[in-house]
Amino acid sequence: MRTHLVTGANSGLGLETVRALAGKNERVIMAVRDLGRGEAARAEILREHPKAVLELEQVDLADLDSVRALGAKQLGLDVLINNAGLGTAPLRRTAEGVYAQFGANHLGHFLLTALLLPQLEKGTDPRVVTVSSGFGRKGKMNLDNLDASQGYNQGTAYMQSKLANALFGAELDRRLRAKGSPVKSVLAHPGVAATPMQQKPTGWMGVVSRAISALFGRPAANGALPTLEAADGANVRSGEVYGPGKGKTDPARREESWPSMRDLEGARALWERSEQLTKTRFLPLSP
């Protein structure tokens, strides 16, 4: 039995990831922002899998003190699944002064990975799975506007945060390999999945989001398949990317890395800024 920690575990792709892992008799730590919703999700899965080993931990990824509290716990991890994501939303800034999508989707996971890495390195076939999005291909990293002082657009903010996920996963792989770490860094994305995230946007973005979800969205359980393959697949190698099959119900498949993932300069600049913002030195490169 391996132990997986899944962020954003109470709904959408996170819930389906936990459900599938529970069905495989894996121990799962459900990291959630709202313990009430987390307990309801846990109870739902236990009705299907009464013998599942499911534990709850609270974390608000937009609050780095909350992330530090979780990262300080001894959890006996084998796999960290950085899944939680904040979608399009009105401008809100974290305590670090960055817009909330970047803070929650990237910075929180960056810090959590840094804090849990020593535990993961003792695990069985340890992995960090970072869930990005196909929208990350369209993002453009602007490290000079993380505070939105030069303007803010909900869609652009989301795409940039998902690009940050992709750059982080790729750079994490390079640094883990340089260190000789046993931990694998693997990226996954669900394609267009019908999840509660698509129902949250308002205005014209909400209309577009719900229409795309209705027309092209694959079931959330299928959208979670790339994450599950990245986390538990037998032949997965560090640095790989897993995405959905061509059809709505096809299995996950390995993809070519995105051109943005090969932006070494951009990835290193993002890493250094993330270290500054989280006040954490993490897998430093040799001089």
Side-chain angles (χ1 to χ4, degrees):
M1 178 188 292
R2 294 162 81 219
T3 297
H4 300 66
L5 186 149
V6 182
T7 64
N10 63 281
S11 67
L13 298 175
L15 178 63
E16 296 305 326
T17 299
V18 174
R19 194 191 312 275
L21 291 170
K24 296 172 63 176
N25 297 317
E26 303 279 30
R27 174 180 173 235
V28 186
I29 299 171
M30 303 173 64
V32 300
R33 184 175 57 182
D34 185 313
L35 284 177
R37 292 180 180 178
E39 184 55 53
R42 178 177 178 272
E44 174 187 328
I45 295 175
L46 285 175
R47 284 193 291 271
E48 299 175 32
H49 305 287
K51 296 182 179 180
V53 181
L54 304 179
E55 302 170 19
L56 278 181
E57 292 287 349
Q58 186 172 27
V59 66
D60 181 349
L61 289 159
D63 179 349
L64 295 189
D65 286 338
S66 175
V67 175
R68 292 185 183 97
L70 177 58
K73 296 185 177 183
Q74 294 300 312
L75 302 169
L77 287 186
D78 300 294
V79 182
L80 169 62
I81 300 179
N82 291 325
N83 163 80
L86 175 64
T88 54
L91 176 60
R92 178 171 61 88
R93 295 182 178 90
T94 70
E96 291 68 42
V98 302
Y99 59 84
Q101 289 98 323
F102 184 84
N105 298 359
H106 169 65
L107 277 189
H109 284 130
F110 179 92
L111 179 58
L112 187 62
T113 303
L115 296 172
L116 293 178
L117 183 61
Q119 294 185 50
L120 287 165
E121 289 185 324
K122 300 174 184 177
T124 300
D125 191 9
R127 306 179 191 186
V128 176
V129 178
T130 302
V131 181
S132 184
S133 164
F135 287 111
R137 291 189 180 96
K138 301 180 180 180
K140 183 177 181 181
M141 191 58 58
N142 182 359
L143 296 178
D144 295 326
N145 192 39
L146 296 180
D147 60 357
S149 60
Q150 300 171 20
Y152 176 77
N153 177 276
Q154 296 184 28
T156 299
Y158 176 71
M159 287 189 287
Q160 184 167 254
S161 73
K162 292 287 100 180
L163 172 59
N165 289 151
L167 289 172
F168 167 61
E171 183 67 9
L172 178 62
D173 165 62
R174 289 187 282 266
R175 292 182 183 237
L176 289 170
R177 302 287 68 75
K179 180 186 176 184
S181 173
V183 179
K184 300 172 184 176
S185 173
V186 191
L187 279 155
H189 76 93
V192 179
T195 71
M197 181 179 286
Q198 279 70 50
Q199 308 305 316
K200 292 181 179 180
T202 58
W204 70 268
M205 293 193 71
V207 174
V208 172
S209 177
R210 285 185 282 276
I212 291 175
S213 178
L215 291 171
F216 306 109
R218 64 191 67 244
N222 187 266
L225 292 179
T227 299
L228 291 162
E229 182 65 21
D232 273 8
N235 300 309
V236 173
R237 294 177 295 180
S238 189
E240 290 183 331
V241 184
Y242 287 84
K246 292 184 178 180
K248 288 186 178 183
T249 58
D250 288 343
R253 60 178 180 169
R254 186 186 301 117
E255 296 186 352
E256 294 293 325
S257 64
W258 303 345
S260 58
M261 296 177 191
R262 300 189 285 274
D263 178 7
L264 301 183
E265 183 178 344
R268 289 172 183 171
L270 172 66
W271 192 282
E272 291 172 0
R273 177 62 67 85
S274 301
E275 287 184 326
Q276 294 168 3
L277 289 166
T278 60
K279 300 177 181 178
T280 301
R281 193 83 191 279
F282 179 27
L283 291 173
L285 295 172
S286 299

